Amino acid sequence: DLGIVKMAFDSSAIAGIGASSGSGDISLTVERVDPASLSAGTRAQIGDRPVFDFTLMVGDTPISDFEGTATVTVPYELKAGEAPDAVVVFYVDSSGELHTVTGAYDPVTGTVQFIATHFSICAVGYHLVTFDDVSDGAWYFEAVTFCAAREITSGTGDDMFSPEATLTRGQFIVMLMRAYGIAPDENPAGNFSDAGDTYYTGYLAAAKRLGISNGIGNNLFAPESEITRQDMFTLLYRSLDILGELPEANSGTSLSNFDDTEDITHYAEDAMETLVKAGIISGSGGKLDPLGSSTRAQMAQVLYKLLSK
């Protein structure tokens, strides 16, 4: 039983698929896959959760990759004891490896919605990661659970997340790029002078190459320094702009609602305005505190707002 599977293509995907249709009719099929047909390692992560095979055909030719994206919604009944934010979606590549895709469980509709940039076998999975310093009553519990399940963060070591620790520029760029599936450069060239040889090195190279960050001057990124809120939101804004995923301005709030907008540096104004209007930045006490720092928990909450919608 497939239940009701819904799919919506964006305009880029529709245009690309339409351009290919001169060679035949377009057909899309969805089949339920028996998990027993998958490798033992794959089954261990999926269990008996649903697995789907999506096939797009133009005439007799399968189309696995397409421009744009498809938003897919599949039914899923949450199991007893499962944390909704730890429900994830994988696609299974040709070698049987699992890769997390952008998606989230919706408890209101009892479905999982995810973004597909190509068609293959996709599966609903469960990946609960817990931290000793994140209690289930904390205001950031859902956000940290969501981010950890998708390997946006692996914590700070020894089963700790350090939610109240100040976020560094290096930590931020890694969390941001993992959240949106931007891969680090494997052989960094032309990197920032202070990129070093550590967990953020390849991510800094990719951020520089893509134009997400020009650093702080003199070819420096300052990865171990605290990141200001305005820099955090500027880098987020640039990433979303490059990906074509800037959120809609539907919060009814603008910069004029806050008392400290004169503290925003010129380069950060567009980013702050866009994210305030989208409700991603809510401020506190009528202030945005653009020059202040941010905690790791606050960053997780921002990504959770964006990715769980």
Side-chain angles (χ1 to χ4, degrees):
D1 180 14
L2 287 173
I4 299 175
V5 177
K6 298 180 180 179
M7 191 172 303
F9 293 93
D10 69 4
S11 57
S12 296
I14 291 173
I17 296 169
S20 304
S21 63
S23 56
D25 294 334
I26 299 172
S27 63
L28 175 65
T29 59
V30 184
E31 297 180 341
R32 192 74 174 259
V33 176
D34 183 354
S37 65
L38 304 175
S39 69
T42 300
R43 292 198 306 273
Q45 295 190 63
I46 295 173
D48 60 354
R49 298 177 185 86
V51 182
F52 300 93
D53 188 3
F54 298 91
T55 304
L56 177 66
M57 301 286 292
V58 174
D60 297 326
T61 304
I63 305 296
S64 59
D65 297 302
F66 49 85
E67 298 293 332
T69 63
T71 300
V72 184
T73 304
V74 299
Y76 181 66
E77 183 176 349
L78 201 66
K79 297 178 180 295
E82 283 189 339
D85 292 306
V87 175
V88 297
V89 178
F90 300 109
Y91 84 81
V92 186
D93 67 19
S94 57
S95 62
E97 295 292 322
L98 295 177
H99 303 269
T100 306
V101 300
T102 302
Y105 173 75
D106 184 345
V108 176
T109 60
T111 60
V112 176
Q113 186 176 91
F114 63 97
I115 304 298
T117 57
H118 67 281
F119 283 144
S120 61
I121 295 176
C122 295
V124 177
Y126 188 71
H127 185 210
L128 179 63
V129 180
T130 60
F131 298 99
D132 292 343
D133 56 353
V134 178
S135 68
D136 57 10
W139 63 266
Y140 45 78
F141 173 77
E142 289 83 4
V144 172
T145 299
F146 183 93
C147 290
R150 289 151 181 80
E151 298 182 343
I152 295 169
T153 178
S154 55
T156 55
D158 298 323
D159 295 324
M160 306 293 280
F161 180 75
S162 305
E164 301 301 334
T166 302
L167 190 71
T168 69
R169 292 172 57 84
Q171 289 172 342
F172 168 77
I173 204 70
V174 171
M175 290 177 70
L176 170 63
M177 296 176 75
R178 284 179 177 171
Y180 285 94
I182 304 174
D185 286 357
E186 294 186 6
N187 299 297
N191 207 344
F192 293 104
S193 300
D194 54 355
D197 183 14
T198 185
Y199 73 95
Y200 50 67
T201 303
Y203 288 98
L204 292 187
K208 183 179 181 182
R209 175 176 53 80
L210 294 170
I212 293 172
S213 176
N214 297 317
I216 61 171
N218 297 319
N219 198 36
L220 299 173
F221 185 81
E224 298 297 337
S225 298
E226 295 181 359
I227 190 167
T228 63
R229 286 170 54 81
Q230 68 174 8
D231 281 2
M232 179 174 76
F233 291 123
T234 298
L235 294 174
L236 174 60
Y237 170 83
R238 288 176 183 170
S239 299
L240 295 177
D241 191 26
I242 288 171
L243 294 168
E245 296 187 19
L246 286 174
E248 295 181 2
N250 55 13
S251 72
T253 305
S254 67
L255 289 184
S256 62
N257 294 94
F258 299 92
D259 300 330
D260 58 349
T261 54
E262 70 279 359
D263 294 335
I264 301 173
T265 307
H266 175 70
Y267 68 79
E269 289 176 352
D270 287 345
M272 298 287 281
E273 179 76 32
T274 298
L275 297 176
V276 162
K277 286 183 175 180
I280 303 305
I281 307 174
S282 56
S284 177
K287 295 183 181 298
L288 290 170
D289 191 21
L291 301 179
S293 58
S294 181
T295 66
R296 289 170 51 80
Q298 289 168 340
M299 178 56 188
Q301 186 68 26
V302 167
L303 292 177
Y304 182 54
K305 280 185 178 181
L306 283 164
L307 295 173
S308 64
K309 290 183 177 180

